Amino acid sequence: MSGELRRSARAVQEALDAAGFELEVVELPASTRTAREAAEAIGCSVAQIAKSIVFRALDSGEPVLVIASGVNRIDETAISALVGEPIGQAKPDFVREATGFVIGGVPPCGHVRPISTFLDEDLLALDEIWAAAGTPHAVFRLTSDQLRELTGGTVIAVGGQS
Ligand code: 5CA
């Protein structure tokens, strides 16, 4: 690991270490807050960015995490059908409370408590992907197999390109 990581990025590194993965969180000078910015900062395609979108199940109030390819638009109706209740986009405070991280830095793992997780099959078709690591400047590279193992998420078709 190079240098000191900020607290939230360090928490992600620790979660990866604890889960037994040899993956390295890196902090970049440029913003990685959005999938497009992250791709630019990393020098990869937007499709390779694992964007973590938090929804709120409207009846139960439970969070739902969808990890999708940066180029895909998430069909909320399809997710609602899978969850079994209507969902809505989460507000920033809800995202922070449910995951422990701010929007733009929500990682696929290391959340404050387990969260129901769905994985985009298009993202899993790629070998090398990049995910947020706790802050809008921190990312880590992993394989789609590692993402599957790390999250134990349910693989779905999220809805196609935006
Ligand atoms: N760091 C990058 C990927 S490495 C990242 O986190 N991208 S992201 O796409 O997963 O996170 C940004 C997402 O947060 C946006 O796609 C959007 O769905 C969501 N978001 C942004 N602003 C808001 C907001 N005000 N309220 C709710 N969700 C938001």
Side-chain angles (χ1 to χ4, degrees), residues 20-37:
F21 287 85
E22 285 192 19
L23 296 168
E24 188 189 357
V25 170
V26 291
E27 280 184 312
L28 300 175
S31 169
T32 59
R33 193 179 63 81
T34 66
R36 185 166 297 280
E37 286 175 347

Side-chain angles (χ1 to χ4, degrees), residues 32-35 38 49-53 89-92 95 103-106 130-132 135-136 138-139:
T32 59
R33 193 179 63 81
T34 66
I49 299 296
K51 60 179 178 188
S52 296
I53 311 296
Q89 200 179 33
K91 294 208 166 77
V95 174
I103 284 172
V106 178
W130 290 81
T135 80
V139 290

